[in-house]
């Protein structure tokens, strides 16, 4: 008897996770890197230092998801969501529920729990990239497991936007973002070249894309 | 069959009693109503039993009559004391002893009938119809038809004003939310029951609390979709009242619901899932309870060049709209709210070093300035120079200087 079969016998509820589909990011390189897009019914972490293109990637995903008629929720721990940037990226703001927690990470966790448990959202983003480090460290692994199970049950793509990996083993995919170089033209910033690295695959892979200004 | 209740005085009580039997009620006068009781035999038995049930429910001394047509029932109730049941086909005989003045014809006709010596319905019914028509005209024919119990008109039902209000005055002031919740639950259940009976829902609930030695407390729940769930309404009111409690103990609670047609939608098989509006509204109410009222919803951009201008409106996803697609992802800005004050050291009129509580260091690259201004004709104009900078730590930021105050701020970081 294989180890997997033995485990199934001990814990009947243990089953291989069903593939509930993927949400395309609209960026071919990232879709290829993540084997088709961001998984539904799973927790994905997008991390990186400031100005590494994390938010640009998520806005591209938000734009693609809302164009397909998905309802999305953006739980904004620090209140940094910019609706103008999201609209310029192509997101349909009517289909984006924005929860501005104004710097309270605990409220953000409560909100993401309520929205993920409630179901009906195709994508739920927890943005803790600008949250205080001590607040992020206080989030227990049990909370991440709870959120992951809620996402599995409701089929939502739960995405955490952060500076460094926080959910650890609870996440299905970790995309580490790194800025390669900014593009300057004329009087203002024109865009940035970004590298994304997938960390949860057997062998880490990376892909490049460019986020540009209008 | 039609039933008529004739009792002096209490019209609201008569209407309330009649509503227990039929929605089709005609108000004849302040002391008389007639209503349709067809089809009630299976519930209450034959007409005599039905009449006794009406008498039991009304609870005061009243004349009750049941007949095959409304006019016969009205005349019987006005003319005979107690309960009168007229079997179909026997109207003329049953009404015959009634005095002729119950017919309520014009004064001229009444005078002529009096001169003829006609004193009862029976006397009038016996007159030849052609002769009555020749002498009294159309009115005479109609009155004679009524005297014979042959009226065959339709009811003209009264239409209730669609007001869904409930109120309760408390015997002693309530100062805790929990006992108040029980009272609100009762009011909500009653309002929702009445809405449901008319196949209606509500999209706005107004609660007015009269307080002890304090101004009245108002709460309005505006719902993006029509709902009819008293439990959800109660939870929303509880959340609202716990976040914004009344200033003093409550003496009286009045609840009003705005009636609207219920939501009916047919979802497509291949349409993406979306949150159930009723459930979502409750979830958003829970979130608003801890984030604050204007912090949760859908952002709507305002048609202006002023930076960070938007309004938050209730989240109510409609059909997906076609937005512009881009081949490359757009560079996003993470906006600091409020903008972070910064001390900037200039070199050759360009930012060379920046110091702010969270971001500081040498400025490696600075591109600008990009001058923007607007609303100079209002009380709140803006006028500033924008710079895009890269710090030595690797961050890309939007920095601006207010030209009026010469102060520098970090507006956000590019990410």
């Amino acid at each position: 008897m294989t180890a997997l079969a033995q485990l199934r016998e001990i814990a009947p509820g243990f089953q291989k996770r069903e593939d509930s589909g993927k949400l395309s990011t609209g960026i071919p390189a990232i879709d290829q890197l993540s084997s088709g897009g961001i998984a539904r019914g799973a927790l994905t972490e997008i991390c990186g230092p400031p100005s590494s293109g994390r938010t640009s990637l998520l806005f591209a995903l938000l734009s693609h998801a809302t164009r397909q008629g998905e309802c999305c929720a953006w739980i904004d721990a620090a209140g940094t969501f910019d609706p103008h940037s999201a609209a310029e990226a192509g997101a349909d703001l009517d289909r984006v529920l924005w929860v501005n927690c104004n710097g309270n990470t605990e409220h953000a966790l409560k909100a993401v729990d309520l929205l993920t448990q409630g179901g009906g959202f195709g994508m739920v983003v927890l943005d803790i990239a600008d949250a205080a480090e001590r607040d992020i460290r206080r989030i227990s692994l049990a909370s991440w497991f709870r959120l992951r199970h809620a996402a599995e049950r409701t089929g939502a793509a739960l995405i955490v936007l952060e500076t460094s990996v926080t959910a650890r083993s609870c996440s299905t995919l970790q995309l580490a973002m790194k800025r390669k170089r900014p593009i300057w033209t004329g009087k203002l910033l024109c865009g940035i070249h970004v590298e994304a690295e997938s960390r949860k695959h057997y062998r880490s892979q990376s892909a490049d894309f460019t986020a540009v200004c209008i | 069959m039609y039933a008529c209740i004739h009792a002096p005085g209490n019209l609201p009580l008569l209407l309330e009693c009649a509503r227990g039997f039929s929605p089709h009620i005609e108000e004849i006068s302040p002391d008389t109503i007639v209503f349709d009781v067809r089809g009630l035999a299976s519930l209450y038995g034959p007409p005599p039993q039905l009449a006794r049930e009406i008498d039991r429910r009304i609870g005061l001394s009243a004349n009750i009559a049941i007949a095959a047509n409304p006019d016969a029932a009205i005349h019987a109730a006005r003319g005979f004391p107690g309960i009168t049941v007229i079997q179909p086909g026997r109207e003329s005989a049953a009404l015959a002893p009634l005095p002729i003045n119950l017919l309520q014809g014009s004064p001229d006709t009444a005078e002529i009938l009096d001169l003829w010596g006609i004193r009862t319905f029976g006397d009038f019914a016996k007159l030849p119809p052609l002769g009555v028509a020749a002498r009294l005209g159309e009115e005479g024919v109609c009155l004679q038809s009524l005297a014979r119990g042959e009226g065959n008109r339709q009811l003209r039902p009264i239409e209730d004003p669609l007001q869904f209000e409930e109120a309760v005055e408390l015997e002693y002031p309530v100062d805790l939310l929990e006992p108040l919740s029980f009272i609100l639950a009762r009011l909500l259940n009653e309002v929702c029951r009445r809405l449901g009976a008319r196949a209606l829902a509500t999209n706005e609930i107004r609660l007015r609390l009269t307080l002890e030695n304090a101004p009245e407390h108002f709460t309005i729940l505006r719902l993006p979709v029509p709902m009819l769930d008293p439990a959800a309404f109660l939870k929303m009111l509880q959340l609202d009242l716990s976040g914004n409690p009344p200033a003093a103990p409550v003496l009286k609670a009045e609840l009003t619901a705005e009636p609207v047609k219920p939501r009916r939608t047919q979802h497509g098989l291949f349409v993406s899932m979306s949150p159930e509006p009723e459930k979502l509204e409750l979830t958003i109410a829970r979130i608003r309870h801890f984030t604050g009222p204007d912090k949760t919803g859908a952002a709507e951009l305002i048609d202006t060049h002023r930076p960070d201008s938007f309004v938050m409106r209730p989240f109510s996803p409609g059909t997906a709209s076609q937005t512009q697609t881009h081949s490359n992802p757009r560079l996003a800005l993470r906006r600091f709210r409020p903008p972070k004050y910064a001390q900037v050291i200039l070199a050759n009129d360009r930012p060379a070093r920046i110091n702010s509580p969270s971001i500081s260091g040498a400025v490696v690259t600075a591109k600008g300035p990009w001058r923007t201004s607007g609303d100079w004709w209002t009380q709140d104009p803006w006028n500033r120079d924008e710079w895009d900078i890269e710090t030595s730590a690797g961050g890309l930021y939007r920095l601006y200087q207010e030209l009026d105050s010469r102060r520098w701020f970090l507006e956000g970081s590019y990410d």
Side-chain angles (χ1 to χ4, degrees), chain A residues 137-195:
Chain A
R137 258 191 262 121
R138 237 186 268 158
I139 305 171
S140 65
L141 199 58
S143 301
W144 291 119
F145 268 110
R146 178 182 161 82
L147 289 175
R148 191 186 80 171
H149 282 301
E152 280 174 5
R153 191 170 52 77
T154 57
L158 177 58
I159 303 166
V160 184
L161 179 61
E162 58 203 353
T163 308
S164 56
V165 170
T166 311
R168 299 182 287 277
S169 57
C170 296
S171 59
T172 307
L173 174 68
Q174 290 170 356
L175 284 177
M177 310 294 293
K178 195 166 72 180
R179 194 189 78 217
K180 290 174 85 175
R181 62 179 184 284
I183 308 164
W184 302 97
T185 53
K187 280 195 163 183
L188 291 173
L189 180 68
C190 181
I192 51 174
H193 283 302
V194 174
E195 183 185 273

Side-chain angles (χ1 to χ4, degrees), chain B residues 59-96:
Chain B
L60 54 84
S61 176
N63 297 344
I64 297 164
I66 295 181
N69 65 71
D71 293 315
I74 292 163
H75 292 135
R78 282 178 168 165
F80 299 120
I83 294 173
T84 309
V85 177
I86 302 174
Q87 296 301 325
R90 296 193 48 80
E91 290 86 1
S92 183
L95 298 177

Side-chain angles (χ1 to χ4, degrees), chain B residues 344-367:
Chain B
V344 176
I345 298 170
L346 300 177
N348 298 327
D349 291 336
R350 308 179 78 79
R353 185 166 185 84
I354 180 169
N355 277 315
S356 84
S358 54
I359 297 147
S360 56
V363 175
V364 179
T365 314
K367 291 283 184 180

Side-chain angles (χ1 to χ4, degrees), chain A residues 55 81 88 90 94-95 179 212, chain B residues 313 318 323 326 337 394 415:
Chain A
T55 315
F81 177 79
E88 282 160 12
D94 284 345
R95 304 190 76 78
R179 194 189 78 217
V212 298
Chain B
R313 56 169 187 71
T323 51
H326 307 293
R337 293 191 183 91
D415 189 34

Side-chain angles (χ1 to χ4, degrees), chain A residues 51-52 54-56 67-68 79-82 84-85 88 90 92 94-95 98 100 127 130 179 187 189 212, chain B residues 272 295 297 309 313 318 321 323 325-326 329 331-335 337 367-368 388 390 394 396 414-415:
Chain A
S51 306
S52 59
R54 306 160 296 178
T55 315
S56 302
R67 273 206 307 272
Q68 288 176 338
T80 54
F81 177 79
D82 182 31
H84 288 268
S85 292
E88 282 160 12
D92 179 3
D94 284 345
R95 304 190 76 78
W98 174 22
N100 181 352
D127 181 355
D130 288 316
R179 194 189 78 217
K187 280 195 163 183
L189 180 68
V212 298
Chain B
S272 299
K295 299 288 181 185
S309 50
R313 56 169 187 71
S321 62
T323 51
T325 58
H326 307 293
L331 184 60
L333 181 74
R334 296 178 67 82
R335 200 172 278 276
R337 293 191 183 91
K367 291 283 184 180
D388 287 337
E390 182 182 12
L396 294 166
Y414 290 106
D415 189 34

Side-chain angles (χ1 to χ4, degrees), chain A residues 23-98:
Chain A
L23 270 178
S24 169
T25 61
I27 306 169
I30 299 294
D31 283 351
Q32 196 178 355
L33 178 70
S34 54
S35 311
I38 303 297
R40 292 174 189 271
L43 195 155
T44 301
E45 287 182 277
I46 296 178
C47 61
S51 306
S52 59
R54 306 160 296 178
T55 315
S56 302
L57 170 61
L58 263 178
F59 279 177
L61 181 60
L62 194 68
S63 157
H64 213 260
T66 53
R67 273 206 307 272
Q68 288 176 338
E70 299 281 359
C71 284
C72 303
W74 191 289
I75 294 97
D76 186 9
T80 54
F81 177 79
D82 182 31
H84 288 268
S85 292
E88 282 160 12
D92 179 3
L93 292 179
D94 284 345
R95 304 190 76 78
V96 180
L97 173 66
W98 174 22

